[in-house]
Amino acid sequence: MVAAAIIVDGRLLLAQRTRPPELAGLWELPGGKAEAGETAEDALRRELREELGVEVSGGDRIGDDVPLPDGRVLRAYRVELVSGTPVALDHAELRWVDGRELGDIDLVGNDRGWVPDLRVHLNGW
Ligand code: CDP
């Protein structure tokens, strides 16, 4: 599983989940499941095109691996916006947060451990 940290002008893009019910309303780094044969960068590019309607590049790791209960691993990558403006095509809402706001927002549990790593790159903390 891949998740994207898109940071522009010291703010991180977060997306609010709509499903499943136990995660709906919580915020996450957008991303999803890598398909067979996809590299992490391929998966990020596809997922962000589908979910946000943007083109991204790059893919330096940020934060630690998060082991999921089903045996898969969730990894976060820092990516750069190449074109487009993010739109919530698959989420309830999008938000750009600075370092202080990141501490106040209800993140999905899996993403919470990345907060200190993300904050280093954000304004206002
Ligand atoms: O759309 P797809 O099934 O590829 O992925 P998803 O529903 O967005 O994400 C699948 C699972 O990955 C979720 O149920 C979450 O457990 C996990 N996930 C997460 O914990 N944090 C993220 N930033 C992205 C995904």
Side-chain angles (χ1 to χ4, degrees), residues 5-49:
I6 302 175
I7 298 169
V8 177
D9 293 337
R11 289 177 172 262
L12 171 72
L13 184 68
L14 292 178
Q16 190 178 35
R17 289 193 67 101
T18 61
R19 62 176 190 278
E22 60 272 22
L23 297 179
L26 300 180
W27 296 80
E28 68 176 5
L29 273 59
K33 188 174 181 297
E35 289 172 0
E38 268 185 335
T39 64
E41 187 174 3
D42 291 338
L44 288 163
R45 289 174 54 209
R46 180 183 49 74
E47 288 284 352
L48 299 184
R49 199 178 290 140

Side-chain angles (χ1 to χ4, degrees), residues 1-4 15 17 19-20 22-23 27-35 46-47 50-51 66 68-70 72 74-76 90-91 108-112 114:
M1 309 292 301
V2 295
R17 289 193 67 101
R19 62 176 190 278
E22 60 272 22
L23 297 179
W27 296 80
E28 68 176 5
L29 273 59
K33 188 174 181 297
E35 289 172 0
R46 180 183 49 74
E47 288 284 352
E50 290 172 3
E51 294 185 0
V66 180
L68 300 177
D70 62 7
R72 291 182 296 180
L74 176 65
R75 294 197 170 104
D90 191 45
H91 286 90
V108 297
N110 290 332
D111 294 15
R112 285 179 202 150
W114 296 329

